[in-house]
Coordinates of all heavy atoms in Angstrom, one line a residue:
M1 N -30.4 -110.2 -27.0 CA -30.7 -111.3 -26.1 C -32.2 -111.3 -25.9 O -32.9 -110.3 -25.8 CB -30.0 -111.0 -24.8 CG -30.2 -112.1 -23.7 SD -29.3 -111.8 -22.3 CE -28.0 -113.0 -22.5
A2 N -32.8 -112.5 -25.8 CA -34.2 -112.7 -25.6 C -34.6 -112.3 -24.2 O -33.9 -112.4 -23.2 CB -34.6 -114.1 -25.9
K3 N -35.8 -111.7 -24.1 CA -36.4 -111.4 -22.8 C -36.7 -112.6 -22.0 O -37.2 -113.6 -22.6 CB -37.6 -110.5 -23.0 CG -37.3 -109.1 -23.5 CD -38.5 -108.2 -23.3 CE -39.8 -108.7 -24.0 NZ -40.9 -107.7 -23.9
K4 N -36.5 -112.6 -20.8 CA -36.9 -113.7 -19.9 C -38.3 -113.5 -19.5 O -38.8 -112.4 -19.2 CB -36.0 -113.7 -18.6 CG -34.6 -114.2 -18.9 CD -34.0 -114.4 -17.6 CE -32.6 -115.0 -17.8 NZ -31.9 -115.4 -16.5
R5 N -39.1 -114.6 -19.7 CA -40.5 -114.6 -19.3 C -40.7 -115.0 -17.9 O -39.9 -115.9 -17.4 CB -41.3 -115.5 -20.2 CG -41.3 -115.0 -21.7 CD -42.1 -116.0 -22.5 NE -41.9 -115.7 -23.9 CZ -42.4 -116.4 -24.9 NH1 -43.1 -117.5 -24.6 NH2 -42.3 -116.0 -26.1
R6 N -41.6 -114.4 -17.2 CA -41.9 -114.9 -15.9 C -42.6 -116.3 -16.0 O -43.6 -116.4 -16.8 CB -42.8 -113.9 -15.2 CG -42.1 -112.7 -14.7 CD -43.0 -111.9 -13.8 NE -43.3 -112.6 -12.6 CZ -44.0 -112.1 -11.6 NH1 -44.6 -110.9 -11.8 NH2 -44.3 -112.8 -10.5
V7 N -42.2 -117.2 -15.3 CA -42.7 -118.5 -15.3 C -43.8 -118.6 -14.2 O -43.5 -118.4 -13.1 CB -41.7 -119.6 -15.1 CG1 -42.3 -121.0 -15.1 CG2 -40.6 -119.5 -16.2
R8 N -45.0 -119.0 -14.7 CA -46.1 -119.1 -13.8 C -45.9 -120.4 -13.0 O -45.7 -121.5 -13.6 CB -47.4 -119.1 -14.5 CG -48.6 -118.9 -13.6 CD -49.9 -118.9 -14.5 NE -50.2 -120.3 -14.7 CZ -51.0 -120.7 -15.6 NH1 -51.6 -119.9 -16.5 NH2 -51.3 -122.0 -15.7
P9 N -46.1 -120.4 -11.7 CA -45.9 -121.7 -11.0 C -47.1 -122.6 -11.2 O -48.3 -122.1 -11.4 CB -45.9 -121.2 -9.5 CG -46.5 -119.9 -9.5 CD -46.3 -119.3 -10.8
Y10 N -46.9 -123.8 -11.4 CA -47.9 -124.8 -11.6 C -48.2 -125.5 -10.3 O -47.2 -125.9 -9.6 CB -47.5 -125.8 -12.7 CG -47.3 -125.1 -14.0 CD1 -46.0 -124.8 -14.5 CD2 -48.4 -124.6 -14.8 CE1 -45.8 -124.2 -15.7 CE2 -48.2 -124.0 -16.0 CZ -46.9 -123.7 -16.5 OH -46.7 -123.1 -17.6
H11 N -49.5 -125.7 -10.0 CA -49.8 -126.3 -8.7 C -50.4 -127.7 -8.9 O -50.6 -128.4 -7.9 CB -50.9 -125.5 -8.0 CG -50.4 -124.1 -7.7 ND1 -49.4 -123.8 -6.8 CD2 -50.7 -122.9 -8.2 CE1 -49.1 -122.5 -6.7 NE2 -49.9 -121.9 -7.6
S12 N -50.6 -128.2 -10.1 CA -51.1 -129.5 -10.3 C -50.6 -130.0 -11.7 O -50.2 -129.3 -12.6 CB -52.6 -129.5 -10.3 OG -53.1 -128.8 -11.4
L13 N -50.7 -131.3 -11.9 CA -50.3 -131.9 -13.1 C -51.3 -131.5 -14.2 O -50.9 -131.4 -15.4 CB -50.3 -133.4 -13.0 CG -49.2 -134.0 -12.2 CD1 -49.3 -135.5 -12.1 CD2 -47.8 -133.7 -12.8
E14 N -52.6 -131.3 -13.9 CA -53.5 -130.8 -14.9 C -53.1 -129.5 -15.5 O -53.2 -129.3 -16.7 CB -54.9 -130.8 -14.3 CG -55.5 -132.1 -14.0 CD -55.1 -132.7 -12.7 OE1 -54.6 -131.9 -11.8 OE2 -55.1 -133.9 -12.5
E15 N -52.7 -128.5 -14.6 CA -52.3 -127.2 -15.1 C -51.0 -127.4 -16.0 O -51.0 -126.7 -17.1 CB -51.9 -126.3 -14.0 CG -53.1 -125.8 -13.2 CD -52.7 -125.0 -12.0 OE1 -51.5 -124.7 -11.8 OE2 -53.6 -124.5 -11.2
L16 N -50.2 -128.2 -15.6 CA -49.0 -128.5 -16.4 C -49.3 -129.1 -17.8 O -48.8 -128.7 -18.8 CB -48.0 -129.4 -15.7 CG -46.6 -129.5 -16.3 CD1 -45.9 -128.2 -16.3 CD2 -45.8 -130.5 -15.4
Q17 N -50.2 -130.0 -17.8 CA -50.7 -130.7 -19.0 C -51.4 -129.7 -19.9 O -51.2 -129.7 -21.1 CB -51.6 -131.9 -18.7 CG -52.0 -132.7 -19.9 CD -50.8 -133.3 -20.6 OE1 -49.8 -133.7 -20.0 NE2 -51.0 -133.5 -21.9
M18 N -52.2 -128.8 -19.4 CA -52.9 -127.8 -20.1 C -52.0 -126.8 -20.8 O -52.1 -126.5 -22.0 CB -53.9 -127.1 -19.2 CG -54.8 -126.1 -20.0 SD -56.2 -125.4 -19.0 CE -55.5 -125.2 -17.4
R19 N -51.0 -126.4 -20.1 CA -50.0 -125.5 -20.6 C -49.2 -126.2 -21.7 O -48.9 -125.6 -22.7 CB -49.0 -125.0 -19.5 CG -48.0 -124.1 -20.0 CD -48.5 -122.8 -20.5 NE -47.4 -121.9 -20.9 CZ -47.5 -121.0 -21.8 NH1 -48.6 -120.8 -22.4 NH2 -46.5 -120.3 -22.1
K20 N -48.9 -127.4 -21.5 CA -48.1 -128.2 -22.6 C -49.0 -128.3 -23.9 O -48.4 -128.1 -25.0 CB -47.8 -129.6 -22.1 CG -47.1 -130.4 -23.0 CD -46.8 -131.8 -22.5 CE -46.2 -132.7 -23.5 NZ -46.0 -134.1 -23.0
E21 N -50.2 -128.5 -23.7 CA -51.1 -128.6 -24.9 C -51.2 -127.2 -25.6 O -51.2 -127.1 -26.8 CB -52.5 -129.1 -24.5 CG -52.5 -130.5 -24.1 CD -53.9 -131.0 -23.5 OE1 -54.8 -130.1 -23.4 OE2 -53.9 -132.1 -23.1
Q22 N -51.3 -126.1 -24.8 CA -51.3 -124.8 -25.4 C -50.0 -124.5 -26.2 O -50.1 -124.0 -27.3 CB -51.5 -123.7 -24.3 CG -52.8 -123.7 -23.6 CD -52.9 -122.8 -22.5 OE1 -51.8 -122.3 -22.0 NE2 -54.1 -122.5 -22.0
L23 N -48.9 -124.9 -25.6 CA -47.6 -124.6 -26.3 C -47.5 -125.5 -27.5 O -47.0 -125.0 -28.6 CB -46.5 -124.9 -25.3 CG -46.2 -123.9 -24.2 CD1 -45.1 -124.4 -23.3 CD2 -45.9 -122.6 -24.7
N24 N -48.0 -126.7 -27.5 CA -48.0 -127.5 -28.7 C -48.8 -126.9 -29.8 O -48.5 -127.0 -31.0 CB -48.5 -129.0 -28.4 CG -47.4 -129.8 -27.7 OD1 -46.2 -129.5 -27.8 ND2 -47.8 -130.8 -26.9
E25 N -50.0 -126.4 -29.5 CA -50.8 -125.7 -30.5 C -50.1 -124.5 -31.1 O -50.2 -124.3 -32.3 CB -52.2 -125.3 -29.8 CG -53.1 -126.4 -29.5 CD -54.3 -125.9 -28.7 OE1 -54.5 -124.7 -28.6 OE2 -55.1 -126.8 -28.3
V26 N -49.5 -123.7 -30.3 CA -48.7 -122.5 -30.7 C -47.6 -123.0 -31.7 O -47.4 -122.4 -32.7 CB -48.2 -121.7 -29.6 CG1 -47.2 -120.7 -30.0 CG2 -49.3 -121.1 -28.8
I27 N -46.9 -124.0 -31.3 CA -45.8 -124.5 -32.1 C -46.3 -125.1 -33.4 O -45.7 -124.8 -34.5 CB -45.0 -125.6 -31.3 CG1 -44.2 -125.0 -30.2 CG2 -44.1 -126.4 -32.3 CD1 -43.6 -126.0 -29.2
E28 N -47.4 -125.7 -33.4 CA -48.0 -126.3 -34.7 C -48.4 -125.1 -35.6 O -48.2 -125.2 -36.8 CB -49.2 -127.2 -34.3 CG -49.8 -127.8 -35.5 CD -48.9 -128.7 -36.3 OE1 -48.1 -129.4 -35.6 OE2 -49.0 -128.9 -37.5
L29 N -49.0 -124.1 -35.1 CA -49.4 -122.9 -35.9 C -48.2 -122.2 -36.5 O -48.2 -121.8 -37.7 CB -50.3 -121.9 -35.1 CG -51.7 -122.4 -34.7 CD1 -52.3 -121.4 -33.7 CD2 -52.5 -122.6 -35.9
E30 N -47.2 -122.0 -35.7 CA -46.0 -121.4 -36.2 C -45.3 -122.3 -37.2 O -44.8 -121.8 -38.2 CB -45.0 -121.1 -35.0 CG -45.5 -120.0 -34.1 CD -44.6 -119.8 -32.9 OE1 -43.7 -120.6 -32.7 OE2 -44.9 -118.7 -32.2
D31 N -45.3 -123.6 -37.0 CA -44.8 -124.5 -38.0 C -45.5 -124.4 -39.4 O -44.9 -124.4 -40.4 CB -44.8 -125.9 -37.5 CG -44.1 -126.9 -38.4 OD1 -43.0 -126.7 -38.8 OD2 -44.8 -128.0 -38.7
Q32 N -46.8 -124.3 -39.3 CA -47.6 -124.2 -40.5 C -47.3 -122.9 -41.2 O -47.2 -122.8 -42.5 CB -49.1 -124.3 -40.2 CG -49.5 -125.7 -39.8 CD -51.0 -125.7 -39.3 OE1 -51.6 -124.7 -39.3 NE2 -51.4 -126.9 -39.0
E33 N -47.1 -121.8 -40.5 CA -46.8 -120.5 -41.1 C -45.4 -120.5 -41.7 O -45.2 -120.0 -42.8 CB -46.9 -119.4 -40.0 CG -46.6 -118.0 -40.5 CD -47.6 -117.5 -41.4 OE1 -48.7 -118.1 -41.5 OE2 -47.3 -116.5 -42.1
I34 N -44.5 -121.1 -41.1 CA -43.1 -121.2 -41.6 C -43.1 -122.1 -42.9 O -42.5 -121.7 -43.9 CB -42.1 -121.9 -40.6 CG1 -41.9 -120.9 -39.5 CG2 -40.8 -122.3 -41.3 CD1 -41.1 -121.4 -38.3
K35 N -43.9 -123.2 -42.9 CA -44.0 -124.0 -44.1 C -44.6 -123.2 -45.3 O -44.2 -123.3 -46.4 CB -44.8 -125.2 -43.9 CG -44.0 -126.3 -43.0 CD -44.9 -127.5 -42.8 CE -44.1 -128.5 -41.9 NZ -45.0 -129.7 -41.6
R36 N -45.7 -122.4 -45.0 CA -46.3 -121.6 -46.0 C -45.4 -120.6 -46.6 O -45.3 -120.4 -47.8 CB -47.6 -120.9 -45.4 CG -48.4 -120.1 -46.4 CD -49.5 -119.3 -45.8 NE -49.0 -118.3 -44.9 CZ -48.5 -117.1 -45.3 NH1 -48.5 -116.8 -46.6 NH2 -48.1 -116.2 -44.5
L37 N -44.6 -119.9 -45.7 CA -43.7 -118.9 -46.2 C -42.6 -119.5 -47.0 O -42.1 -118.9 -48.0 CB -43.2 -118.0 -45.0 CG -44.2 -117.1 -44.3 CD1 -43.6 -116.5 -43.0 CD2 -44.7 -116.1 -45.2
W38 N -42.1 -120.6 -46.5 CA -41.0 -121.3 -47.2 C -41.5 -121.7 -48.6 O -40.7 -121.7 -49.6 CB -40.5 -122.5 -46.4 CG -39.3 -123.1 -47.0 CD1 -39.2 -124.3 -47.7 CD2 -37.9 -122.6 -47.0 NE1 -38.0 -124.5 -48.2 CE2 -37.2 -123.5 -47.8 CE3 -37.4 -121.5 -46.5 CZ2 -35.8 -123.3 -48.0 CZ3 -36.0 -121.3 -46.7 CH2 -35.2 -122.2 -47.4
G39 N -42.7 -122.2 -48.7 CA -43.2 -122.6 -50.0 C -43.3 -121.4 -50.9 O -43.1 -121.6 -52.1
Q40 N -43.6 -120.2 -50.4 CA -43.6 -119.0 -51.3 C -42.2 -118.7 -51.8 O -42.0 -118.2 -52.9 CB -44.2 -117.8 -50.6 CG -45.7 -117.9 -50.3 CD -46.2 -116.7 -49.5 OE1 -45.4 -115.9 -49.0 NE2 -47.5 -116.6 -49.4
L41 N -41.2 -118.9 -51.0 CA -39.8 -118.6 -51.4 C -39.3 -119.6 -52.4 O -38.4 -119.2 -53.2 CB -38.9 -118.6 -50.1 CG -39.0 -117.4 -49.2 CD1 -38.2 -117.7 -48.0 CD2 -38.7 -116.2 -49.9
T42 N -39.7 -120.8 -52.3 CA -39.1 -121.9 -53.2 C -40.2 -122.3 -54.2 O -40.8 -123.3 -54.0 CB -38.7 -123.1 -52.3 OG1 -39.8 -123.5 -51.6 CG2 -37.5 -122.7 -51.4
V43 N -40.3 -121.5 -55.2 CA -41.3 -121.8 -56.3 C -40.6 -122.8 -57.2 O -39.4 -122.5 -57.7 CB -41.7 -120.5 -57.0 CG1 -42.6 -120.9 -58.2 CG2 -42.4 -119.6 -56.0
N44 N -41.2 -123.8 -57.6 CA -40.6 -124.8 -58.5 C -40.6 -124.2 -59.9 O -41.4 -123.4 -60.3 CB -41.5 -126.1 -58.6 CG -41.3 -126.9 -57.3 OD1 -40.4 -126.7 -56.6 ND2 -42.3 -127.7 -57.0
D45 N -39.5 -124.6 -60.7 CA -39.4 -124.2 -62.1 C -40.5 -124.8 -62.9 O -40.9 -124.3 -64.0 CB -38.1 -124.6 -62.6 CG -36.9 -123.8 -62.0 OD1 -37.2 -122.7 -61.5 OD2 -35.8 -124.2 -62.1
E46 N -41.1 -125.9 -62.5 CA -42.2 -126.5 -63.2 C -43.4 -125.6 -63.3 O -44.2 -125.7 -64.2 CB -42.5 -127.9 -62.6 CG -41.3 -128.8 -62.6 CD -41.6 -130.0 -61.6 OE1 -42.6 -130.0 -60.9 OE2 -40.7 -130.9 -61.6
D47 N -43.6 -124.8 -62.3 CA -44.7 -123.9 -62.2 C -44.6 -122.7 -63.2 O -45.6 -122.0 -63.5 CB -45.0 -123.4 -60.8 CG -45.3 -124.5 -59.8 OD1 -45.6 -125.6 -60.3 OD2 -45.1 -124.2 -58.6
L48 N -43.3 -122.4 -63.6 CA -43.1 -121.3 -64.5 C -43.3 -121.7 -65.9 O -43.0 -122.8 -66.3 CB -41.7 -120.8 -64.3 CG -41.3 -120.3 -62.9 CD1 -39.8 -119.9 -62.8 CD2 -42.1 -119.1 -62.4
S49 N -43.8 -120.7 -66.7 CA -43.9 -120.9 -68.2 C -42.5 -120.9 -68.8 O -41.5 -120.5 -68.2 CB -44.8 -119.9 -68.8 OG -44.1 -118.6 -68.8
R50 N -42.4 -121.3 -70.0 CA -41.1 -121.4 -70.7 C -40.5 -120.0 -70.8 O -39.3 -119.8 -70.6 CB -41.3 -122.0 -72.1 CG -40.1 -122.2 -72.9 CD -39.3 -123.3 -72.2 NE -38.1 -123.6 -73.0 CZ -37.0 -124.1 -72.6 NH1 -36.9 -124.4 -71.3 NH2 -36.0 -124.3 -73.3
G51 N -41.3 -119.0 -71.1 CA -40.8 -117.6 -71.2 C -40.3 -117.1 -69.8 O -39.2 -116.4 -69.8
Q52 N -41.0 -117.5 -68.8 CA -40.5 -117.1 -67.4 C -39.2 -117.8 -67.1 O -38.3 -117.2 -66.4 CB -41.6 -117.4 -66.4 CG -42.8 -116.5 -66.5 CD -43.9 -116.9 -65.6 OE1 -44.0 -118.1 -65.3 NE2 -44.7 -116.0 -65.1
Q53 N -39.1 -119.0 -67.5 CA -37.8 -119.8 -67.2 C -36.6 -119.1 -67.9 O -35.6 -118.9 -67.4 CB -37.9 -121.2 -67.6 CG -38.8 -122.1 -66.7 CD -39.0 -123.5 -67.2 OE1 -38.5 -123.8 -68.3 NE2 -39.6 -124.3 -66.4
I54 N -36.9 -118.8 -69.2 CA -35.8 -118.1 -70.0 C -35.4 -116.8 -69.4 O -34.3 -116.4 -69.3 CB -36.2 -118.0 -71.5 CG1 -36.3 -119.4 -72.1 CG2 -35.3 -117.1 -72.2 CD1 -36.9 -119.4 -73.5
G55 N -36.5 -116.0 -69.0 CA -36.2 -114.7 -68.3 C -35.4 -114.9 -67.0 O -34.5 -114.0 -66.7
K56 N -35.7 -115.9 -66.3 CA -35.0 -116.2 -65.0 C -33.5 -116.5 -65.3 O -32.6 -115.9 -64.7 CB -35.6 -117.3 -64.3 CG -35.0 -117.5 -62.9 CD -35.6 -118.7 -62.2 CE -35.1 -120.0 -62.8 NZ -35.5 -121.2 -62.1
Y57 N -33.2 -117.3 -66.4 CA -31.8 -117.6 -66.7 C -31.1 -116.4 -67.2 O -29.9 -116.2 -66.9 CB -31.8 -118.7 -67.8 CG -32.3 -120.0 -67.2 CD1 -33.1 -120.8 -68.0 CD2 -32.1 -120.5 -65.9 CE1 -33.6 -122.0 -67.5 CE2 -32.6 -121.6 -65.4 CZ -33.4 -122.4 -66.2 OH -33.9 -123.6 -65.8
I58 N -31.8 -115.5 -68.0 CA -31.2 -114.3 -68.4 C -30.8 -113.4 -67.3 O -29.8 -112.8 -67.2 CB -32.1 -113.5 -69.5 CG1 -32.2 -114.3 -70.8 CG2 -31.6 -112.1 -69.7 CD1 -33.2 -113.8 -71.7
E59 N -31.7 -113.3 -66.3 CA -31.5 -112.5 -65.1 C -30.3 -113.0 -64.3 O -29.4 -112.2 -63.9 CB -32.7 -112.5 -64.2 CG -32.6 -111.7 -62.9 CD -33.9 -111.8 -62.1 OE1 -34.9 -112.3 -62.5 OE2 -33.8 -111.4 -60.9
Y60 N -30.2 -114.3 -64.2 CA -29.0 -114.9 -63.5 C -27.7 -114.6 -64.2 O -26.7 -114.3 -63.6 CB -29.2 -116.4 -63.3 CG -30.2 -116.9 -62.3 CD1 -30.8 -118.1 -62.4 CD2 -30.6 -116.0 -61.3 CE1 -31.7 -118.6 -61.4 CE2 -31.6 -116.4 -60.4 CZ -32.1 -117.7 -60.4 OH -33.0 -118.1 -59.5
G61 N -27.8 -114.7 -65.5 CA -26.6 -114.4 -66.4 C -26.2 -112.9 -66.2 O -25.0 -112.6 -66.1
M62 N -27.2 -112.0 -66.2 CA -26.8 -110.6 -66.0 C -26.2 -110.4 -64.6 O -25.3 -109.6 -64.5 CB -28.1 -109.8 -66.2 CG -28.5 -109.7 -67.6 SD -30.1 -108.9 -67.9 CE -29.9 -107.4 -67.2
M63 N -26.7 -111.0 -63.6 CA -26.1 -110.9 -62.2 C -24.7 -111.4 -62.2 O -23.8 -110.8 -61.6 CB -27.0 -111.6 -61.2 CG -28.3 -110.9 -60.9 SD -29.2 -111.6 -59.5 CE -29.6 -113.2 -60.0
A64 N -24.5 -112.5 -62.9 CA -23.1 -113.1 -62.9 C -22.2 -112.1 -63.7 O -21.0 -111.9 -63.2 CB -23.1 -114.5 -63.5
F65 N -22.6 -111.6 -64.8 CA -21.8 -110.7 -65.6 C -21.5 -109.4 -64.7 O -20.4 -108.9 -64.7 CB -22.5 -110.3 -66.8 CG -21.8 -109.3 -67.7 CD1 -20.7 -109.7 -68.4 CD2 -22.2 -108.0 -67.7 CE1 -20.0 -108.7 -69.2 CE2 -21.6 -107.0 -68.5 CZ -20.4 -107.4 -69.2
D66 N -22.5 -108.9 -64.0 CA -22.3 -107.7 -63.2 C -21.3 -108.0 -62.1 O -20.4 -107.1 -61.8 CB -23.7 -107.3 -62.6 CG -23.6 -106.0 -61.8 OD1 -22.9 -105.0 -62.3 OD2 -24.1 -105.9 -60.7
G67 N -21.3 -109.1 -61.5 CA -20.4 -109.5 -60.5 C -19.0 -109.6 -61.0 O -18.0 -109.1 -60.4
V68 N -18.8 -110.2 -62.2 CA -17.5 -110.3 -62.8 C -17.0 -108.9 -63.2 O -15.8 -108.6 -62.9 CB -17.6 -111.2 -64.1 CG1 -16.3 -111.1 -64.9 CG2 -17.8 -112.6 -63.6
M69 N -17.8 -108.0 -63.7 CA -17.4 -106.7 -64.1 C -17.0 -105.9 -62.8 O -16.0 -105.1 -62.9 CB -18.4 -106.0 -64.9 CG -18.7 -106.6 -66.2 SD -17.2 -106.8 -67.3 CE -16.8 -105.1 -67.5
T70 N -17.7 -106.0 -61.7 CA -17.4 -105.3 -60.5 C -16.0 -105.8 -60.0 O -15.2 -105.0 -59.6 CB -18.5 -105.6 -59.4 OG1 -19.7 -105.1 -59.9 CG2 -18.1 -104.9 -58.1
L71 N -15.8 -107.1 -60.0 CA -14.5 -107.6 -59.6 C -13.4 -107.1 -60.5 O -12.3 -106.8 -60.0 CB -14.5 -109.2 -59.5 CG -15.3 -109.8 -58.4 CD1 -15.3 -111.3 -58.5 CD2 -14.6 -109.4 -57.0
R72 N -13.6 -107.1 -61.8 CA -12.6 -106.6 -62.7 C -12.2 -105.1 -62.4 O -11.1 -104.8 -62.4 CB -13.1 -106.8 -64.1 CG -12.2 -106.3 -65.2 CD -12.8 -106.5 -66.6 NE -11.9 -105.9 -67.6 CZ -12.1 -104.7 -68.1 NH1 -13.1 -104.0 -67.7 NH2 -11.3 -104.2 -69.0
K73 N -13.3 -104.3 -62.2 CA -13.0 -102.9 -61.9 C -12.2 -102.7 -60.6 O -11.3 -101.9 -60.5 CB -14.3 -102.1 -61.8 CG -14.9 -101.9 -63.2 CD -16.3 -101.2 -63.0 CE -17.0 -101.1 -64.3 NZ -18.2 -100.4 -64.2
L74 N -12.6 -103.5 -59.6 CA -11.9 -103.4 -58.3 C -10.4 -103.9 -58.4 O -9.5 -103.3 -57.9 CB -12.6 -104.3 -57.2 CG -13.9 -103.8 -56.7 CD1 -14.6 -104.8 -55.9 CD2 -13.8 -102.5 -56.0
K75 N -10.2 -104.9 -59.2 CA -8.8 -105.4 -59.4 C -8.0 -104.4 -60.2 O -6.9 -104.1 -59.9 CB -8.9 -106.7 -60.2 CG -7.5 -107.4 -60.3 CD -7.6 -108.7 -61.0 CE -6.3 -109.4 -61.2 NZ -5.1 -108.7 -61.4
R76 N -8.6 -103.7 -61.2 CA -7.9 -102.7 -61.9 C -7.5 -101.5 -61.1 O -6.4 -101.0 -61.2 CB -8.8 -102.3 -63.1 CG -8.0 -101.4 -64.1 CD -8.8 -101.0 -65.3 NE -9.9 -100.2 -64.8 CZ -11.1 -100.0 -65.4 NH1 -11.2 -100.5 -66.6 NH2 -12.0 -99.2 -64.9
N77 N -8.5 -101.1 -60.2 CA -8.2 -99.9 -59.4 C -7.3 -100.2 -58.2 O -6.6 -99.3 -57.8 CB -9.6 -99.3 -58.9 CG -10.4 -98.7 -60.0 OD1 -9.8 -98.3 -61.0 ND2 -11.7 -98.6 -59.8
Y78 N -7.3 -101.4 -57.6 CA -6.6 -101.7 -56.4 C -5.4 -102.6 -56.7 O -4.6 -102.9 -55.8 CB -7.5 -102.3 -55.4 CG -8.5 -101.3 -54.8 CD1 -9.8 -101.3 -55.2 CD2 -8.1 -100.3 -53.9 CE1 -10.7 -100.4 -54.8 CE2 -9.0 -99.4 -53.5 CZ -10.3 -99.5 -53.9 OH -11.3 -98.6 -53.4
G79 N -5.2 -103.1 -57.9 CA -4.1 -103.9 -58.2 C -4.3 -105.4 -57.9 O -3.8 -106.3 -58.6
S80 N -5.0 -105.7 -56.9 CA -5.3 -107.0 -56.5 C -6.6 -107.0 -55.6 O -6.9 -106.0 -54.9 CB -4.2 -107.6 -55.6 OG -4.6 -108.9 -55.1
I81 N -7.4 -108.0 -55.7 CA -8.6 -108.1 -55.0 C -8.3 -108.1 -53.5 O -9.0 -107.5 -52.7 CB -9.4 -109.3 -55.4 CG1 -9.9 -109.2 -56.8 CG2 -10.6 -109.5 -54.5 CD1 -10.6 -110.3 -57.4
L82 N -7.2 -108.7 -53.1 CA -6.8 -108.8 -51.7 C -6.5 -107.4 -51.1 O -6.6 -107.1 -49.9 CB -5.7 -109.7 -51.4 CG -6.0 -111.2 -51.8 CD1 -4.8 -112.1 -51.6 CD2 -7.1 -111.7 -50.9
N83 N -6.0 -106.4 -52.0 CA -5.6 -105.1 -51.5 C -6.9 -104.3 -51.2 O -6.7 -103.2 -50.6 CB -4.8 -104.4 -52.5 CG -3.4 -105.0 -52.7 OD1 -3.0 -105.7 -51.8 ND2 -2.8 -104.8 -53.8
I84 N -8.0 -104.7 -51.5 CA -9.3 -103.9 -51.2 C -9.5 -103.8 -49.8 O -9.9 -102.8 -49.2 CB -10.5 -104.6 -51.9 CG1 -10.4 -104.6 -53.4 CG2 -11.8 -104.0 -51.4 CD1 -11.4 -105.5 -54.1
F85 N -9.1 -104.8 -49.0 CA -9.4 -104.9 -47.6 C -8.3 -104.2 -46.7 O -8.3 -104.2 -45.5 CB -9.7 -106.3 -47.1 CG -10.8 -106.9 -47.9 CD1 -10.6 -107.9 -48.9 CD2 -12.1 -106.5 -47.7 CE1 -11.6 -108.5 -49.6 CE2 -13.2 -107.1 -48.4 CZ -12.9 -108.0 -49.3
H86 N -7.2 -103.7 -47.4 CA -6.1 -103.1 -46.6 C -6.3 -101.6 -46.5 O -6.9 -100.9 -47.1 CB -4.8 -103.4 -47.3 CG -4.4 -104.8 -47.1 ND1 -4.4 -105.7 -48.2 CD2 -4.0 -105.5 -46.1 CE1 -4.0 -106.9 -47.8 NE2 -3.7 -106.8 -46.5

């Protein structure tokens, strides 16, 4: 649960407007940081060389094969995939 912050009482509209502007600046900075981090996570395939693209597809294929083999072993040992959770 998030901590509750003490709310400072505002005595004028100017104080309220100033706080609103401060919060808008903070929100804008956090938005820019989130966009920067999201951009690092989602690298376009166009930026990768042909060899890197092939390597990525091989890696995905190996992960899929590993998942299938893990499921096969679990099914063989437990009789059914649903029996794993019993």
Side-chain angles (χ1 to χ4, degrees):
M1 181 176 254
K3 291 193 301 185
K4 287 190 174 183
R5 297 181 186 173
R6 283 186 69 180
V7 178
R8 193 180 84 198
Y10 299 103
H11 300 291
S12 68
L13 289 177
E14 290 81 22
E15 289 179 1
L16 189 61
Q17 183 66 28
M18 187 172 33
R19 179 66 178 150
K20 180 181 174 184
E21 290 171 1
Q22 289 173 347
L23 289 175
N24 283 337
E25 289 174 7
V26 169
I27 290 170
E28 183 64 31
L29 290 173
E30 289 176 351
D31 183 51
Q32 290 173 0
E33 180 68 14
I34 289 170
K35 286 179 182 177
R36 184 186 65 79
L37 293 173
W38 186 255
Q40 289 177 350
L41 287 175
T42 56
V43 176
N44 291 336
D45 290 341
E46 299 165 356
D47 297 342
L48 299 176
S49 69
R50 185 68 177 155
Q52 289 172 330
Q53 288 177 353
I54 292 171
K56 186 179 76 168
Y57 295 139
I58 291 171
E59 182 181 349
Y60 288 159
M62 290 172 54
M63 286 190 295
F65 178 76
D66 185 44
V68 169
M69 294 307 294
T70 301
L71 287 175
R72 181 178 172 266
K73 289 178 184 179
L74 289 172
K75 186 177 182 324
R76 188 179 64 200
N77 289 337
Y78 293 102
S80 173
I81 294 175
L82 298 176
N83 290 340
I84 295 170
F85 303 108
H86 289 107

